[in-house]
Amino acid sequence: RSSLLNGPLLGYPMIGVGVQVDQLRVNTSTNPLTCNTCASICISNALRDLQSSSSLLEPILKVRIRVPNEQMGGVISDITAGRRGQVVEVSQLDTRGIATSIIEAEIPLSEMLGYATALRSLTQGNGTFETKFHQYRHVGQDIQEKILEDPYSMNY
């Protein structure tokens, strides 16, 4: 298990990977530590061979945004074009005579940096949002290449 904590890409833990040992030959002087070390080396070698077919995952947030109807278009455009997000559902609500839209979206966590300021600007201070973790999703190949070139840059 400890071998899967450092994956082949940037050393991040691996998710959804299992290892099954089909056969183990030991002699009388073999101890459990030796077996664990051997298994760890074998797994590390196998992962190194799989590096080219591995992909990075990124956390995706479920985002619920409440905006006045007249500003919904700009907010949806920001989600889809500017933040690599996907709009899941849009519903209408009438709050004290104010027509309001509720936008449900899935947006990568890395794209949410500075979102409060952006939403305030897009809605003249009338928009609110809440987030919660949703799932991990594969990053696109183009973004993965940029991350691997410079893992500490946030310009993807």
Side-chain angles (χ1 to χ4, degrees), residues 13 56 59 64 88 91 100 128:
L56 291 174
R64 181 182 168 105
V88 176
S91 57
T100 304
T128 61

Side-chain angles (χ1 to χ4, degrees), residues 101-116:
S101 295
I102 307 294
I103 304 166
E104 303 273 347
E106 296 172 1
I107 305 173
L109 173 63
S110 63
E111 300 293 340
M112 291 299 292
L113 186 64
Y115 189 67

Side-chain angles (χ1 to χ4, degrees), residues 54-143:
S54 298
S55 64
L56 291 174
L57 302 177
E58 66 181 333
I60 304 296
L61 299 179
K62 177 84 68 180
V63 183
R64 181 182 168 105
I65 307 160
R66 181 183 294 233
V67 297
N69 277 359
E70 55 274 1
Q71 292 148 344
M72 177 181 63
V75 172
I76 289 177
S77 176
D78 180 62
I79 292 168
T80 57
R83 299 186 183 275
R84 297 187 295 124
Q86 298 174 340
V87 174
V88 176
E89 181 180 350
V90 176
S91 57
Q92 306 297 314
L93 183 67
D94 189 37
T95 308
R96 294 185 291 260
I98 300 171
T100 304
S101 295
I102 307 294
I103 304 166
E104 303 273 347
E106 296 172 1
I107 305 173
L109 173 63
S110 63
E111 300 293 340
M112 291 299 292
L113 186 64
Y115 189 67
T117 303
L119 183 63
R120 196 169 30 251
S121 176
L122 287 167
T123 64
Q124 288 84 42
N126 294 314
T128 61
F129 75 100
E130 55 190 64
T131 64
K132 67 179 180 178
F133 174 78
H134 179 56
Q135 66 183 16
Y136 286 100
R137 194 176 289 157
H138 295 276
V139 300
Q141 187 64 32
D142 57 332
I143 294 172

Side-chain angles (χ1 to χ4, degrees), residues 4 37-39 50-52 76-77 98 101 127 137 148-149:
L4 300 176
T37 303
C38 180
L50 294 174
Q51 185 170 359
S52 63
I76 289 177
S77 176
I98 300 171
S101 295
R137 194 176 289 157
L148 292 175
E149 285 175 18

